[in-house]
Amino acid sequence: MERSSANFDNVVFAGGGNRCFWQAGFWSVVAPALELRPRRVRAVSAGSAIACALFAGTFEHGFTGYKQALANNARNLYLRNLLREEPVFPHGGMYRSAILSSIDERALSRLHQGPEINVLISRPPGWASPRMALLLGALALGVDIWGRGTIHSSTGSRIGFKPLYRSVRECETPEALADLVIASSCVPPLTPQVRSDGMILLDGGLVSNVPAEDLAQEQGCSLILLTRQFPSIPDVPGRTYVQPSQPIPAGAWDYTDETAVQSTFDLGRRDGEHFCTTIRRAG
């Protein structure tokens, strides 16, 4: 971990599928202990789902339901559904159900009154056809997975993907919020293809899986919650990066193992306790 100040105006939730439950465990310990009240939140992919549930105050309820859904799901691929109308991949439906079980109208109202939460989505190059956009997205994702040592990867941006930030405050209904989070997490065929105004939208992680690049120090200090280990952490004034102390048990897209998800959350809590101890000693 790299640490600086406990006074964080900004918090960034990186993407990572089920690995983002580490962020939830970490935040559930650190936020009350250090009385964190950020003004701005940046989030991408599943990190945006976690951020919304945490700041809506509904995480525990949603987490219980999600773990039960994983326990009831036997596999991540249902080949028998190739000849049926049911989905081959269960992820999209389960993901949306998890979001809607956490965010109702009252929870959404609390989100609107909380910190500004901006969710990152990727827009493909204007010259790319829908099929080409998907192929380019798969290419960028593959390159970034291969180059795991870089926190702020830019493959998607170099190819031509553009960032699109949308505020949670623009969502007037829980369904609209679910649409936003799923757009930020869109990885066909695991999730349904998302379009807006005729334009394909894809996982925001194609542009940046850690959307902190343009947070300037004059905007205040930033706490950046990663979801996997990196060999080196950038030394950027005003930023505090935190990462798991050991490999996260849960697979990003494994929707069958509720025990691994719980273990991931528990690891986040332990790392959060260690972070608080270090901050207090430094103070």
Side-chain angles (χ1 to χ4, degrees):
M1 294 182 187
E2 292 292 331
R3 310 171 185 87
S4 58
S5 169
N7 299 314
F8 299 109
D9 294 297
N10 315 298
V11 179
V12 175
F13 287 78
N18 284 328
R19 298 196 308 268
C20 294
F21 285 105
W22 179 87
Q23 299 169 327
F26 184 91
W27 186 261
S28 70
V29 170
V30 172
L34 301 182
E35 299 182 350
L36 300 186
R37 290 177 175 80
R39 292 185 295 167
R40 290 173 293 272
V41 175
R42 290 275 190 86
V44 64
S45 196
S48 63
I50 294 296
C52 287
L54 289 172
F55 287 99
T58 58
F59 174 78
E60 291 186 9
H61 171 76
F63 192 36
T64 298
Y66 181 67
K67 287 185 292 183
Q68 186 59 56
L70 297 189
N72 294 335
N73 180 49
R75 38 181 76 89
N76 291 305
L77 175 66
Y78 291 87
L79 289 175
R80 66 174 182 267
N81 290 344
L82 286 170
L83 301 178
R84 304 178 182 180
E85 294 185 357
E86 299 176 39
V88 173
F89 296 96
H91 304 76
M94 293 176 66
Y95 194 10
R96 187 177 187 86
S97 294
I99 297 167
L100 292 176
S101 70
S102 296
I103 307 296
D104 57 14
E105 293 286 351
R106 293 178 63 184
L108 184 62
S109 177
R110 288 194 294 272
L111 279 179
H112 288 172
Q113 297 168 28
E116 179 77 22
I117 302 177
N118 285 300
V119 177
L120 175 62
I121 304 170
S122 291
R123 295 187 294 117
W127 47 262
S129 67
R131 180 172 294 182
M132 178 63 70
L134 294 178
L135 290 174
L136 290 173
L139 173 63
L141 181 62
V143 170
D144 287 342
I145 290 175
W146 180 72
R148 284 185 176 273
T150 303
I151 289 180
H152 296 292
S153 59
S154 58
T155 304
S157 296
R158 291 199 299 269
I159 290 175
F161 284 89
K162 302 296 183 183
L164 173 63
Y165 280 100
R166 288 186 173 169
S167 172
V168 165
R169 292 176 182 172
E170 298 176 11
C171 299
E172 298 182 354
T173 65
E175 290 76 16
L177 178 65
D179 290 342
L180 174 59
V181 171
I182 290 173
S184 180
S185 312
C186 184
V187 185
L190 292 178
T191 62
Q193 181 61 71
V194 176
R195 292 175 181 265
S196 178
D197 298 326
M199 177 177 59
I200 285 181
L201 302 178
L202 292 170
D203 192 317
L206 294 175
V207 174
S208 176
N209 204 45
V210 186
E213 291 86 350
D214 59 345
L215 284 175
Q217 190 173 5
E218 56 266 23
Q219 295 175 284
C221 292
S222 301
L223 177 64
I224 301 171
L225 307 181
L226 305 174
T227 59
R228 57 185 176 85
Q229 294 178 307
F230 291 88
S232 62
I233 300 294
D235 184 9
V236 181
R239 293 186 190 175
T240 297
Y241 291 82
V242 291
Q243 62 181 355
S245 60
Q246 61 190 55
I248 285 182
W253 289 101
D254 184 359
Y255 278 28
T256 65
D257 193 345
E258 74 280 7
T259 301
V261 167
Q262 180 65 56
S263 296
T264 297
F265 178 81
D266 294 340
L267 174 62
R269 287 189 60 86
R270 293 195 298 273
D271 288 344
E273 290 166 358
H274 179 69
F275 181 83
C276 289
T277 299
T278 304
I279 286 288
R280 285 165 177 155
R281 286 175 180 170

